Amino acid sequence: MDFLKDLWAFMKERKKFWLAPVIVIMLLLGMLIVFSQGSVLAPFIYTIF
């Protein structure tokens, strides 16, 4: 949790709020890959990348 607080403080202080959507999309893509590895959708997900 300290990492998230530090990251938010960095973005707030340096006015780097454009990093928030980038981080969220990267997390969502990572979760999609992790959760779809054992599923039937895995071949379709990997063709995207």
Side-chain angles (χ1 to χ4, degrees):
M1 200 62 168
D2 287 335
F3 174 72
L4 294 176
K5 289 179 186 177
D6 288 340
L7 183 62
W8 178 252
F10 169 78
M11 289 191 313
K12 189 171 151 184
E13 182 178 328
R14 305 273 184 184
K15 307 285 191 250
K16 303 276 186 190
F17 293 112
W18 58 269
L19 286 173
V22 174
I23 293 170
V24 169
I25 289 175
M26 287 176 59
L27 288 173
L28 289 174
L29 285 174
M31 288 180 3
L32 178 68
I33 290 172
V34 167
F35 289 130
S36 68
Q37 276 185 342
S39 72
V40 178
L41 296 175
F44 301 110
I45 299 298
Y46 287 119
T47 59
I48 294 173
F49 303 105

